[in-house]
Amino acid sequence: MSTHDLSHWRHQADRLSLTTRPFIDGDFVDSQGDGILTAYNPATGAVLAEVNACNAADIDRAVGAARRVFEGGSWSRCPPLQRKKVLLRFAALIEEHAEELALIQTLEMGKPITDSLSFDLAETVRCVAWYAETIDKRYDEIAPTGEDVHATISREPLGVVAAVVPWNFPLMIAAWKFAPALAMGNSVVLKPAEASSLSGLRLAALAEEAGLPAGVFNVTPGHGAVAGQALGLHRDVDALTFTGSTATGKRFMRYSSESNLKRVWLECGGKSPHIVFADCPDLDAAAQAAAAGIFTNQGEVCIAGSRLYVDEAIFDTFLPRLLEAAKAMPAGDPLDPATRMGALISAEHHAKVLDYIERGLSEGMTLHHGGRAATPVDGGWYLEPTILEGAQAAVLMREEIFGPVLGINRFTSESEAIDLANDSIYGLGAGLWTSDLARAHRVSRRLSAGLVWVNCYADGDISVPFGGMKQSGFGRDKSLHALDKYSDLKTTWMNLAYGSS
Ligand code: NAD
């Protein structure tokens, strides 16, 4: 954890030099089109940089380079120990440049510098190093077929993996995809979100420095409808791994069916429930977890606990604790290390979240806290942490808002809590607080969610899978299971009957 203060980070921000061109086939190159992505600093609304956007021809070039190097075998067939060394070096370089990368992320997407450094960058380094370590530790299988046959079941890399990622955790979510894909021997084309290309481009330079052969790791910033679509429709991309909204995820399914049936892995939206039962072992801890579960990263978190269900029996005791925890997370300058909630990604998103609050109020929800824009820094896109109470039918309890807005509701029985929690098109995360072990197991089993937390919220580690059910997508990032997404099973059946004497 850094001990720097606000003036240090401001000083560093003034001295930053930003890379703004795509990284294709081992070089920073000019895009073949004239598209531009304007990068804004959400903390001030000022323009940070103009990024050269990729068009379909650039994507074709990146995929071509990725394919050529894959077929050449300098990465895909290199000895495991060698591949591991390069990825470990990549992880070490990210760690060495963690402050610079954290600063770029904070400037481009508004998250607090403390989170950016001690969470996003720490997790990114750990992810790359963890998958590097798997490379020389996995074994293939021999099937129990009898003595006349030798049947091996092996895992082979797919070829070219495209990763299309969102802006809320630009580097960490990218690493969740490129690290296992590279570990398996694939080549990668990474398309960062429009708002957050700068950190991905800085990463590309470190990949090259680590020794990844040219073409193995390409970073192609661009508009979703241009560069993202070109990757989705490309006939030489073998797998497309996506994190973003459910609406865009559905598009990638269509792109796949209209092109080459590339496999598609989707981590999409969420509207995650957080349940506090009357037998909660620690109401203060639950209140703090409920507040952090929605206000961390300004609520721009796929697993944000945006629906809170509190047992009627403890509601009046719990609410003041929750309000206290919310007050401790006011919006602040993202470069101030004390800030726990920063600025929203864009002026449009800021207006959209405010509109949701208006809609909640017009549907009769009760405002318990916040509800307005905040102005810790002039020109930035800030909101107060907001808590509204209302019925399950309210739009605010149903739609993903992706902002610091918590909807709360009450329940009177365990089965009602489960029904409310599962009443969503999404199924990403879910939390519950109880002292009853049997209830913890029982409720966890019945919750339609890929991730369930008991007596905590949003905790995790690279060793456990991450992903959702229902319209939150399918396939899992993180853990050894993610390696399966970037590899194919090969059965080799050898008849041993010949050659015996
Ligand atoms: P988004 O769907 O708008 O964009 C995600 C990526 O898709 C970006 O790179 C974008 O350029 C690209 N894209 C957009 N339109 C496209 C199109 N027509 N064709 C091809 N590509 C296109 O999402 P966002 O606003 O960047 O991120 C917010 C969403 O991401 C939220 O819904 C959030 O829940 C979700 N998310 C999910 C997870 C998870 O693990 N489940 C994690 C983080 C964010």
Side-chain angles (χ1 to χ4, degrees):
M1 166 98 175
S2 159
T3 52
H4 301 314
D5 61 9
L6 175 59
S7 64
H8 165 87
W9 289 112
R10 286 202 175 136
H11 180 64
Q12 293 302 319
D14 290 342
R15 291 161 30 128
L16 262 187
S17 117
L18 298 166
T19 306
T20 56
R21 292 191 302 159
F23 184 76
I24 297 176
D25 202 8
D27 264 320
F28 288 100
V29 297
D30 289 327
S31 159
Q32 296 177 52
D34 52 9
I36 290 289
L37 293 169
T38 304
Y40 292 94
N41 179 353
T44 61
V47 172
L48 261 184
E50 305 258 274
V51 176
N52 216 201
C54 289
N55 63 12
D58 299 308
I59 293 298
D60 194 45
R61 188 171 161 199
V63 173
R67 171 65 59 196
R68 192 203 63 240
V69 68
F70 181 78
E71 297 303 338
S74 58
W75 181 253
S76 54
R77 297 196 298 276
C78 87
L81 194 58
Q82 172 62 13
R83 212 182 311 137
K84 172 175 132 173
K85 273 187 185 157
V86 173
L87 276 194
L88 283 177
R89 171 98 184 107
F90 190 18
L93 282 168
I94 298 171
E95 189 164 29
E96 232 172 77
H97 292 81
E99 291 200 358
E100 180 192 355
L101 288 162
L103 179 58
I104 297 174
Q105 263 201 169
T106 285
L107 291 175
E108 68 186 353
M109 63 74 56
K111 74 169 63 201
I113 188 68
T114 300
D115 292 351
S116 196
L117 186 58
S118 54
F119 180 71
D120 292 52
L121 263 297
E123 292 293 314
T124 303
V125 171
R126 175 143 158 74
C127 174
V128 178
W130 196 83
Y131 281 108
E133 287 292 354
T134 66
I135 294 173
D136 60 354
K137 295 175 188 66
R138 284 180 314 98
Y139 293 78
D140 288 328
E141 301 165 28
I142 298 173
T145 48
E147 67 174 34
D148 288 344
V149 168
H150 179 68
T152 60
I153 305 166
S154 51
R155 284 217 163 259
E156 298 188 347
L158 299 174
V160 179
V161 172
V164 178
V165 297
W167 42 262
N168 58 340
F169 294 88
L171 292 174
M172 183 184 80
I173 289 179
W176 287 358
K177 297 175 185 311
F178 72 69
L182 292 175
M184 286 307 307
N186 300 282
S187 306
V188 170
V189 180
L190 169 68
K191 197 206 82 63
E194 289 84 339
S196 59
S197 312
L198 297 166
S199 50
L201 290 171
R202 183 66 188 97
L203 200 68
L206 301 179
E208 192 205 5
E209 196 180 332
L212 279 154
V216 168
F217 185 67
N218 306 275
V219 180
T220 53
H223 295 280
V226 180
Q229 174 168 306
L231 281 168
L233 287 170
H234 204 290
R235 291 179 181 273
D236 208 20
V237 167
D238 298 286
L240 193 137
T241 173
F242 168 79
T243 294
S245 62
T246 296
T248 309
K250 289 179 180 178
R251 283 179 192 271
F252 278 107
M253 300 283 284
R254 283 206 295 277
Y255 298 151
S256 170
S257 70
E258 286 165 13
S259 55
N260 61 339
L261 270 194
K262 60 180 68 61
R263 62 205 64 192
V264 173
W265 302 112
L266 303 178
E267 297 283 355
C268 298
K271 189 74 189 172
S272 300
H274 197 162
I275 307 168
V276 187
F277 287 103
D279 60 3
C280 169
D282 184 339
L283 283 184
D284 289 317
Q288 278 158 29
I294 180 68
F295 302 131
T296 298
N297 217 44
Q298 313 72 244
E300 295 166 331
V301 181
C302 53
I303 51 170
S306 51
R307 296 184 285 144
L308 181 66
Y309 299 108
V310 182
D311 196 316
E312 176 75 62
I314 54 160
F315 191 91
D316 292 341
T317 333
F318 183 78
L319 186 62
R321 291 172 160 83
L322 176 67
L323 299 183
E324 227 18 69
K327 279 182 201 145
M329 295 188 73
D333 184 342
L335 287 184
D336 184 340
T339 294
R340 292 180 62 199
M341 192 172 85
L344 274 74
I345 189 71
S346 65
E348 298 72 46
H349 189 53
H350 185 257
K352 186 176 141 196
V353 179
L354 273 173
D355 186 55
Y356 266 115
I357 296 170
E358 280 308 311
R359 286 166 74 186
L361 293 171
S362 69
E363 285 181 321
M365 293 186 89
T366 307
L367 182 68
H368 284 297
H369 189 67
R372 294 169 309 179
T375 50
V377 181
D378 284 347
W381 305 311
Y382 301 91
L383 280 178
E384 294 175 341
T386 296
I387 300 175
L388 292 121
E389 182 186 352
Q392 180 73 358
V395 70
L396 212 134
M397 300 298 281
R398 313 204 67 81
E399 294 185 13
E400 183 182 42
I401 297 174
F402 224 53
V405 181
L406 177 64
I408 53 176
N409 199 352
R410 312 170 189 219
F411 64 87
T412 52
S413 70
E414 185 180 298
S415 62
E416 188 191 4
I418 294 168
D419 289 346
L420 287 168
N422 287 340
D423 180 20
S424 171
I425 61 164
Y426 299 110
L428 192 50
L432 65 112
W433 292 77
T434 179
S435 300
D436 179 341
L437 188 61
R439 167 178 273 166
H441 281 291
R442 196 166 56 231
V443 176
S444 170
R445 284 180 188 177
R446 289 196 46 204
L447 288 172
S448 307
L451 299 142
V452 176
W453 295 280
V454 178
N455 296 336
C456 60
Y457 195 83
D459 292 10
D461 182 69
I462 190 67
S463 58
V464 292
F466 184 101
M469 297 176 177
K470 302 198 273 187
Q471 292 192 42
S472 291
F474 47 82
R476 295 290 182 266
D477 282 331
K478 301 169 62 183
S479 83
L480 293 176
H481 295 282
L483 294 166
D484 292 353
K485 296 196 301 188
Y486 307 114
S487 57
D488 239 340
L489 280 180
K490 161 81 59 76
T491 296
T492 305
W493 181 278
M494 279 182 272
N495 181 354
L496 303 184
Y498 294 104
S500 56
S501 52

